[in-house]
């Protein structure tokens, strides 16, 4: 277990790397004993510094939910991070790539909550009852760790490798006649007109609803709730796709909507 000084030092290093858009070596090189509990404490330090600098927490994200990403990172469990208002963009946005280090795109389903969820004990049915609707979403993940040489502790400490996210302009209900099919909805991710990712809702822990329930229960064990009005990114539906300045990305989610973004 790292002491408070080490937690602060690791958090400050990651904050400075985010602010300056420059990569640092894996945390395990300097702190070989770092574990997941330490990493979440580092994450809290980073988020607190960003909030102190003027940002606001507007949601949460779940990472490492698909088998494709788990294989890439050689882990067997999801993680989570905090979404801040300076990460959020709307459909058709143009994003300055210089604010990112080594971005990769993911297609996801975003949940917008209409009431609080606090575990443990939250079920999939309760997630649906608390959801205002879902949206198509790009998450452009980024790593402050050089060359994405990350283990689970590195990505957790680095706020689950959060970069920015882009939401569609259509909110689709999850109940009633017009409800989205969150299990079998198909995803097509295109980069510069070429299909680079295919997936379905079931790729995320069997259903993105299961992923949100996992998050509510995991955070609830620490006394943290998912709040009404928050955006919850439920996890990648296919493998991450490297992107760079000049790339145009388009995402289609069957029955949910579409979203696009250009890196400049």
């Amino acid at each position: 277990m790292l002491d408070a000084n080490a937690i602060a030092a690791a958090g400050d290093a990651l904050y400075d790397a985010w602010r300056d858009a420059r990569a640092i070596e894996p945390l395990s090189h300097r702190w070989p004993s770092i574990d997941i509990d330490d990493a979440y404490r580092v994450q809290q330090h980073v988020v607190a510094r960003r909030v102190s600098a003027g940002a606001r927490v507007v949601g949460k994200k779940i990472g490492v939910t698909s088998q494709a990403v788990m294989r890439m990172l050689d882990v067997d469990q999801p993680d989570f991070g905090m979404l801040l208002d300076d990460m959020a963009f709307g459909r058709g946005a143009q994003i300055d790539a210089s604010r990112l280090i080594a971005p990769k795109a993911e297609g996801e389903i975003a949940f917008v909550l209409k009431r609080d969820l606090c575990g443990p004990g939250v079920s999939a049915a309760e997630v649906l009852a608390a959801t205002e609707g879902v949206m198509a979403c790009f998450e452009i993940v980024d790593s402050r760790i050089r060359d994405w040489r990350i283990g689970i502790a590195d990505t957790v400490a680095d706020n689950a490798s959060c970069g920015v996210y882009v939401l569609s302009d259509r909110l689709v209900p999850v109940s009633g006649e017009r409800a989205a099919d969150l299990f079998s909805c198909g995803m097509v991710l295109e980069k510069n007109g070429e299909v680079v990712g295919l997936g379905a809702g079931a790729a995320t822990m069997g259903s993105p609803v299961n992923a949100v329930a996992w998050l509510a229960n995991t955070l609830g064990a620490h006394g943290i709730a998912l709040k009404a009005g928050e955006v919850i990114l439920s996890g990648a539906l296919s493998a991450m796709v490297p992107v760079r300045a000049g790339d145009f990305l388009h995402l289609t989610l069957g029955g949910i909507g579409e979203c696009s973004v250009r890196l400049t």
Side-chain angles (χ1 to χ4, degrees):
M1 181 175 180
L2 300 186
D3 63 24
N5 289 335
I7 295 294
D12 289 343
L14 285 170
Y15 176 83
D16 291 346
W18 165 79
R19 181 194 60 202
D20 301 334
R22 60 172 178 80
I24 62 174
E25 293 302 308
L27 300 184
S28 57
H29 286 195
R30 182 172 175 186
W31 296 281
S33 65
I34 189 171
D35 61 20
I36 292 181
D37 290 337
D38 294 328
Y40 278 118
R41 292 164 63 209
V42 173
Q43 180 189 120
Q44 290 169 358
H45 184 92
V46 175
V47 171
R49 285 209 57 186
R50 290 183 66 169
V51 169
S52 294
R56 179 171 54 91
V57 175
V58 295
K60 281 93 175 176
K61 66 154 283 184
I62 308 159
V64 198
T65 54
S66 73
Q67 288 300 315
V69 178
M70 285 185 185
R71 285 193 297 270
M72 192 195 82
L73 297 182
D74 192 27
V75 297
D76 61 0
Q77 59 186 306
D79 65 7
F80 62 83
M82 302 296 157
L83 301 180
L84 303 168
D85 59 349
D86 59 4
M87 300 174 179
F89 291 85
R91 173 187 172 188
Q94 297 193 42
I95 298 174
D96 182 358
S98 68
R99 66 179 286 176
L100 304 168
I101 300 169
K104 299 175 186 285
E106 299 177 334
E108 305 194 18
I109 298 172
F111 287 65
V112 179
L113 299 183
K114 61 184 177 182
R115 55 175 174 264
D116 294 359
L117 280 172
C118 189
V122 171
S123 67
E126 289 171 316
V127 169
L128 292 173
T131 298
E132 181 72 26
V134 293
M135 308 174 83
C137 173
F138 269 116
E139 185 182 4
I140 311 296
V141 295
D142 197 23
S143 180
R144 272 55 64 174
I145 305 301
R146 194 178 311 281
D147 300 324
W148 281 90
R149 290 183 286 123
I150 56 174
I152 188 66
D154 291 297
T155 187
V156 165
D158 194 19
N159 198 24
S161 301
C162 284
V164 298
Y165 66 97
V166 182
L167 296 175
S168 69
D169 54 7
R170 179 186 178 200
L171 188 66
V172 179
V174 294
S175 61
E177 292 182 1
R178 296 185 298 123
D181 181 350
L182 299 177
F183 178 80
S184 61
C185 61
M187 182 205 75
V188 179
L189 194 163
E190 298 170 85
K191 182 173 78 170
N192 303 326
E194 178 185 355
V195 174
V196 291
L198 296 170
T204 302
M205 297 178 69
S207 166
V209 180
N210 295 338
V212 177
W214 173 87
L215 180 64
N217 292 324
T218 300
L219 288 177
H222 299 282
I224 303 171
L226 306 183
K227 296 290 189 178
E230 287 191 331
V231 174
I232 310 299
L233 305 190
S234 61
L237 300 179
S238 65
M240 299 185 291
V241 177
V243 293
R244 61 184 179 180
D247 286 340
F248 176 76
L249 304 170
H250 185 265
L251 169 72
T252 304
L253 268 169
I256 296 177
E258 54 90 21
C259 192
S260 62
V261 61
R262 183 180 297 279
L263 273 69
T264 62

